[in-house]
Amino acid sequence: MLAALGFITVIAMLILIMTKKASPAVALIIVPLITGIIACAFITNPETGAVDFLANVQSLGSMIAGDDGLLSVAATGVMFIFSILFFGILTDAGTFRPIIGGITKLVGTNPVLIAVGTAILAMIVHLDGSGAVTFLICVPPLVPLYDAVGMKRTTLATIVAMSAGTMNILPWGGPTLRAATALGFGNDPVAFFLPVLPAVLVGLVLDLVIAALLGTREKARIGSVKLTSAEFKMAELTEEEKALARPHLFWVNIILIIAAIVTLLFSGFAPAVVFMIFYVLATVINYPKVADTKARVDANAKSAIMMCSVLFAAGAFCGIMTGTGMITEMANTLVAIIPDSLGEFFPAIVGVIGMPASLLFDPDSFYYGVLPVLAETAEGFGVAGVNVGRAAILGQMTVGFPVSPLTPSTFLLVGLAGVDLGEHQKKTIPILWVVSLVMVVVAILTGGVVI
């Protein structure tokens, strides 16, 4: 029953979000709360073996607020607030306008080149394996460019998600490290990863092809008149924007951005701490007057509150799903329904469902809880369990992480891009699944995944 409630929870939540029948925050809270209360009628006390419905309902509060719930996203929420304020202040100061002007001189206003350039930038930045850092570096500078050219922000979010997701398969990425550790390759994740390297390279090439196709579609939608102007000109500043602009501090702000990125990558400080510090520096340098500081916080507070409300709602979702045991039972059900006749194709099956499974399981639950069970099941069918792990990393929380409601980075991406979560998922999920399936096929053909 818990498994059925788990699947109902995820499906109902996705339907509500994608059809815009409810906001993401509302769907992420109310759906698991209802199914969580129902689940309390089926949770037994491990000591007595009895069901205490009232005690179980009372425990929902601690599930939501505990380590698997709000506490798991608290630091990220702080990072969201101060990163939005940091980039918001730099945007108000006009820091990104000259950067966008330089980019347009390099790639012009051709949506195809812009789309491909976006994919390449996201791939390079995601070499560090951090989705949050990738989105923070790639999205804010590119939003004004996409707006000025007339390209959809959903296209930006899709391309960045696709490129970062594929790069997330690298051996220092979180999912691959988890899979290697769970399957006994903890000391040598590179050896675990290398057999699927050809598939990943094909996936990266496919990312560029898809980016070009998306750019071509945008070019056809926008039309040729706007794009054939001899000189690209950004919109004139309003009087308010002129008053806020700090052109004389451009290089100072650029140094701030570079310093923030370097600190994120190499200092060992938590991202929340980094952005708290650099928000203060950006504020003191650009708007030292208290009244100006308050005005800039007010101007950017709406975005911060919206993002954090969804993030903490996702924390409540994860806490209930994990605490009630629904995620565990969902995994057991998936394993049990696979017939013996399909046993030899077990790695391929895992590869096919890997990307969509990102919508059901967070990386820790899947790779430390589900994957060992799947690998053992494969061994029972005469298939080496490591093949299941390699098939899984071609989709589960790698390609699939930037659309999953179970990862804070997803909300950071849509928040920075200013797009609706449901719209992002509707447009991006099919594309990511295609990329994942192509990599699985290539891995099977090249022997990276043996069936």
Side-chain angles (χ1 to χ4, degrees), residues 73-161:
V73 298
T76 306
V78 176
M79 181 197 72
F80 278 15
I81 292 173
F82 286 100
S83 66
I84 290 171
L85 293 176
F86 174 69
F87 284 111
I89 285 173
L90 295 181
T91 300
D92 293 339
T95 306
F96 296 116
R97 289 180 66 86
I99 295 175
I100 300 308
I103 293 175
T104 56
K105 288 181 180 179
L106 183 64
V107 302
T109 58
N110 187 332
V112 179
L113 294 179
I114 292 173
V116 173
T118 300
I120 294 173
L121 175 63
M123 290 175 187
I124 293 173
V125 175
H126 201 73
L127 281 169
D128 78 317
S130 171
V133 172
T134 299
F135 301 152
L136 286 165
I137 293 175
C138 292
V139 178
L142 290 176
V143 165
L145 175 61
Y146 273 67
D147 288 348
V149 174
M151 297 174 68
K152 293 180 179 179
R153 292 188 181 191
T154 52
T155 301
L156 168 61
T158 296
I159 294 173
V160 172

Side-chain angles (χ1 to χ4, degrees), residues 17 68 98 389 391 406 410:
I17 292 175
D68 294 318
L406 302 175
T410 299

Side-chain angles (χ1 to χ4, degrees), residues 15 27-28 79 85 106 144 156 160-161 183 185 228 279 287 305 316 332 362 395:
I15 290 174
L28 285 164
M79 181 197 72
L85 293 176
L106 183 64
L156 168 61
V160 172
L183 297 177
F185 286 81
T228 55
Y279 153 71
Y287 305 105
I305 291 173
N332 294 335
D362 65 272

Side-chain angles (χ1 to χ4, degrees), residues 235-300:
E236 293 295 328
L237 292 174
T238 65
E239 291 302 318
E240 181 182 0
E241 290 172 335
K242 289 178 181 178
L244 294 173
R246 300 290 187 268
H248 60 289
L249 294 174
F250 172 76
W251 286 109
V252 175
N253 288 332
I254 291 298
I255 291 172
L256 270 181
I257 294 172
I258 295 173
I261 293 171
V262 171
T263 306
L264 275 172
L265 297 177
F266 303 112
S267 70
F269 289 171
V273 175
V274 172
F275 281 109
M276 288 176 71
I277 295 171
F278 280 91
Y279 153 71
V280 172
L281 292 175
T283 300
V284 171
I285 291 171
N286 289 276
Y287 305 105
K289 294 182 179 179
V290 174
D292 292 340
T293 299
K294 289 182 177 179
R296 292 304 89 219
V297 172
D298 289 343
N300 293 286

Side-chain angles (χ1 to χ4, degrees), residues 203-225:
L204 292 173
V205 173
L206 181 58
D207 288 345
L208 296 177
V209 172
I210 293 175
L213 292 174
L214 292 174
T216 301
R217 181 186 298 175
E218 287 287 83
K219 185 174 183 178
R221 182 184 61 82
I222 296 168
S224 59
V225 176

